[in-house]
Amino acid sequence: MPRAKPKSDVGRAMTRFNALRHGLTSTAPVIPGVESDDEWESHREAIVADLAPAGATESALAERIAALAWRLRRVERYESVAIAVGRERVDHDVALRQRRLGLPATVDQAQLLVEDAHRCLDIVEHLLDTPPATGLAAADAAAIMEALASSARADVATYVEGIDEAADGGGWTVGRLVAVMEALAARDGEAFVDVLAAAVARARTVAGDTRLSLVRLDEEIDRLRRERLLPDAPTLDRIMRHEANLNRMFYQALNQLEAAQSRRCGAPTPLHRIQAYGLPGG
């Protein structure tokens, strides 16, 4: 059964990583779809020509050095792709966390909430200065009703239903909103200005909260992108171990080739060579 192709941007980004993920430890000279046969041949010919081997043994060592150098380049590409994929996943990972917390999943969504909240705040702040026949968007009216429900002791829906019956067409207008607030004030024995003041205070709180949510979301995304300038710890550990192993084999083959070339030229060749890794500062 053919495997379904990824549809999301994150899915496509991860599939680019698959070939390198499975090919990091591959001993094949060229990984199909990731590396080029022509690039490999150019690399191999350049390394072998530079080492100038003579005879079968030196040629075999030169070929091994070329292959190990090629695989070390593969590690560099793997690391670069791992970092790129990790950074591309930031928005996806943040969105999942935001949804779990019941918060806007993206910066665009958070920005829309900020704009909606400030629009509602502007409506209630200028309610008495706006002509009663001025229409209101249903979404804005619903948001303001929610604010009224949070600040009033009465059941807002009861008054909305009664005013709906008297309103022409039932559409939201400034006059209808004022009527709801006046009804709430009368039922609770409060002054209309107090109900209005409570609605304004609530709208300001909502506007402030949405703005803070947007700022925090921006900061979290920036933090994760800075954090992911390196691969995650398990990936980084795997890269470092594999690179160290390749480096060791590379220099061993290089030393063996140098020793073979020295013997061929009649120069003294030490029986043992000490190789040190992980020296302080190195």
Side-chain angles (χ1 to χ4, degrees):
M1 180 177 181
R3 184 175 299 176
K5 294 183 179 179
K7 297 181 179 179
S8 68
D9 291 339
V10 172
R12 284 189 289 270
M14 290 302 292
T15 57
R16 296 209 319 269
F17 188 48
N18 288 343
L20 282 177
R21 180 179 63 196
H22 299 302
L24 177 63
T25 57
S26 172
T27 58
V30 176
I31 300 176
V34 177
E35 298 166 333
S36 163
D37 289 324
D38 291 339
E39 288 182 2
W40 155 247
E41 285 300 328
S42 296
H43 164 86
R44 186 191 65 79
E45 291 174 2
I47 293 290
V48 172
D50 186 58
L51 294 173
T57 300
E58 291 182 16
S59 294
L61 288 170
E63 292 282 353
R64 179 168 176 76
I65 291 167
L68 288 167
W70 178 259
R71 293 175 65 189
L72 282 167
R73 287 177 53 184
R74 183 181 297 161
V75 173
E76 294 176 359
R77 289 194 298 272
Y78 180 96
E79 182 180 19
S80 297
V81 172
I83 292 171
V85 170
R87 286 170 63 82
E88 287 176 3
R89 284 188 60 89
V90 165
D91 290 341
H92 175 264
D93 294 343
V94 169
L96 289 179
R97 189 208 65 173
Q98 291 286 104
R99 291 191 185 100
R100 286 196 299 267
L101 296 175
L103 298 172
T106 67
V107 171
D108 287 343
Q109 291 178 7
Q111 182 62 51
L112 286 176
L113 289 180
V114 170
E115 294 171 0
D116 291 345
H118 280 272
R119 188 172 58 253
C120 291
L121 174 60
D122 185 68
I123 290 171
V124 294
E125 283 185 331
H126 298 89
L127 195 63
L128 299 182
D129 302 327
T130 306
T134 303
L136 296 177
D140 292 343
I144 295 171
M145 287 296 98
E146 182 179 351
L148 286 173
S150 301
S151 60
R153 293 192 301 274
D155 181 4
V156 175
T158 300
Y159 289 104
V160 171
E161 182 180 352
I163 293 170
D164 278 346
E165 295 175 358
D168 293 335
W172 275 102
T173 64
V174 168
R176 181 183 173 205
L177 181 58
V178 170
V180 171
M181 297 175 70
E182 287 175 339
L184 290 172
R187 175 173 175 173
D188 295 340
E190 298 178 355
F192 169 75
V193 292
D194 293 335
V195 174
L196 177 59
V200 170
R202 175 62 179 167
R204 286 175 178 168
T205 298
V206 172
D209 289 346
T210 55
R211 171 62 64 181
L212 182 59
S213 178
L214 174 60
V215 170
R216 287 176 174 171
L217 180 57
D218 270 329
E219 290 175 347
E220 177 67 7
I221 290 173
D222 288 342
R223 182 188 68 79
L224 285 178
R225 283 177 177 162
R226 290 193 302 270
E227 184 179 284
R228 294 184 183 184
L229 287 174
L230 289 176
D232 60 84
T235 301
L236 186 60
D237 181 68
R238 184 167 63 251
I239 290 172
M240 293 175 65
R241 289 177 180 274
H242 185 61
E243 185 176 27
N245 186 49
L246 290 176
N247 266 320
R248 184 164 53 252
M249 292 189 294
F250 176 83
Y251 286 112
Q252 285 175 348
L254 190 60
N255 289 339
Q256 289 171 359
L257 176 60
E258 290 174 348
Q261 290 174 329
S262 295
R263 285 194 299 271
R264 175 167 52 83
C265 296
T269 303
L271 296 178
H272 297 285
R273 291 194 178 196
I274 298 176
Q275 305 223 1
Y277 299 93
L279 295 177

